[in-house]
Amino acid sequence: MDDAMNCPKCNSEHAYQDGSLWVCPECAHEWSTEAGTAAAAAPEVGVRDAHGNALADGDSVIVIKDLKVKGSSSVVKGGTKVRNIRLSEGADGHNIACKIDGIGAMNLKSEFVKKA
């Protein structure tokens, strides 16, 4: 198969052409050849949660696992709802700034939260 194309979403090499669309059997993503080249040229920007949902300032999120608070004996329990988050560019990977009841202001990584 000379005209094989990788999936722009999961980079699978098993994509196949179905009429005018390309289909990925691994992630079920469908795209046209024009959209495939555009997606490769301009990757999507933005902060996404653990399940791939886009996050925005003011959203509410739920912590999905227990997180230790560095420098303290406190723990943020899984299932804790955090309201009114602010997205930030942290050099250490912490891209959510928030205030948690009982703990105070802190930064979280988006990979440990899901959108509420």
Side-chain angles (χ1 to χ4, degrees):
M1 197 149 90
D2 313 350
D3 57 349
M5 179 179 261
N6 288 353
C7 174
K9 189 172 183 182
C10 70
N11 203 24
S12 170
E13 59 188 29
H14 302 292
Y16 61 91
Q17 193 166 12
D18 185 22
S20 63
L21 293 177
W22 284 86
V23 179
C24 177
E26 293 183 12
C27 69
H29 181 65
E30 297 179 355
W31 72 98
S32 66
T33 54
E34 295 82 28
T37 56
E44 221 174 288
V45 290
V47 177
R48 300 210 172 259
D49 70 358
H51 301 291
N53 299 319
L55 297 174
D57 286 341
D59 281 347
S60 293
V61 295
I62 298 173
V63 178
I64 60 173
K65 66 180 253 181
D66 290 355
L67 301 173
K68 295 183 204 173
V69 178
K70 189 173 183 179
S72 173
S73 62
S74 301
V75 174
V76 178
K77 293 286 189 179
T80 302
K81 188 170 186 176
V82 181
R83 293 178 181 87
N84 197 19
I85 64 169
R86 293 176 311 282
L87 302 180
S88 62
E89 285 295 322
D92 56 354
H94 295 83
N95 48 8
I96 297 175
C98 61
K99 187 184 281 188
I100 299 177
D101 293 336
I103 296 176
M106 66 182 314
N107 294 328
L108 298 172
K109 291 185 179 182
S110 61
E111 63 197 56
F112 298 120
V113 300
K114 67 178 181 178
K115 194 170 185 175

